[in-house]
Amino acid sequence: MAITTNTSSSNKKFNFRYSAFLGMLYLSNPDTEAALKACREKIGEVEWKKGFKGTRGDSASAVARAELKAAGIEPVTVAGFLRSAYVKERNVNGRMTPYLNVSLFDPEYQERYYVSIDLGQDAAQMLARKLVNAKPGAMTSLSLFGTYEQKAGQDRAYANHAACLRQGESEVAGVNPQAVLKGMVDNAVASLSAAGITDKEIVGKAKDKVRIEYHTGLMNDVDAKFAQHYAALEQAKPDTVGAVNDESDGDDNVPY
């Protein structure tokens, strides 16, 4: 199996989720989801919603990571041939939410890996920007992770969520969002200001909406790139086995 994890399974399909509280990508199955649910109940909603606070010391996320590690639940890196990447909306607590879905295939073990993450998360958005420059069908390794660091000039540490996407021996570079995204965000804020709306929560939600729209647009182009890749394969070799875009995204479990 091309997965770095202590958890094994005889299944041929594996689902992966990202926990912003834990700052890690993990193998999702009924046992791990039950363990995460119990962990969340133990930590408490208030503390859980504060997010990732690193893996050291006695922070809630550090304690939770240590307890889950003892139960065999650890961060994973997924590797295989990149089969598909697209956005699909899911019903989460009665609200349609866009999720970034990526699938990989390991021909040696005949296993399919499905990674799904809320596109509103920073790690998903970084991954989307890197998928713009990724090659469909190439051997790929993918990991999502959180860091907790104090920036220069700041009096406290902050969590950052990131994505690592490697093809061959190199890290795939992401597109720079600032040229387009900054203008989109500025326009949204200006429109609210012109309407007399300055409430921080409303402005924040507007910014988040624009960022999701921008990254959804990137992923629409990525999805089209995959469609072109498979069309070219079919034209060049009609009897190619497995040359079909993998538009399945595993199950619909909501990540913790």
Side-chain angles (χ1 to χ4, degrees), residues 176-208:
N176 187 340
Q178 292 307 311
V180 176
L181 182 55
K182 185 178 185 302
M184 293 173 64
V185 171
D186 289 346
N187 288 339
V189 173
S191 295
L192 290 175
S193 180
I197 301 173
T198 58
D199 181 83
K200 289 184 177 180
E201 183 176 353
I202 295 176
V203 172
K205 288 181 178 179
K207 289 180 178 180
D208 290 342

Side-chain angles (χ1 to χ4, degrees), residues 142-205:
L142 185 164
S143 63
L144 305 170
F145 55 91
T147 59
Y148 192 67
E149 302 171 333
Q150 185 169 335
K151 297 181 180 179
Q154 300 290 336
D155 58 0
R156 69 183 192 80
Y158 292 87
N160 292 294
H161 298 274
C164 178
L165 191 72
R166 297 185 64 85
Q167 291 188 323
E169 298 299 320
S170 304
E171 171 74 13
V172 178
V175 297
N176 187 340
Q178 292 307 311
V180 176
L181 182 55
K182 185 178 185 302
M184 293 173 64
V185 171
D186 289 346
N187 288 339
V189 173
S191 295
L192 290 175
S193 180
I197 301 173
T198 58
D199 181 83
K200 289 184 177 180
E201 183 176 353
I202 295 176
V203 172
K205 288 181 178 179

Side-chain angles (χ1 to χ4, degrees), residues 3 26 33 40 76 131 151 165 185 193 197 211 230:
I3 306 171
Y26 66 93
E33 295 300 342
R40 184 168 186 160
V76 300
L131 285 166
K151 297 181 180 179
L165 191 72
V185 171
S193 180
I197 301 173
R211 293 188 185 101
Y230 287 110

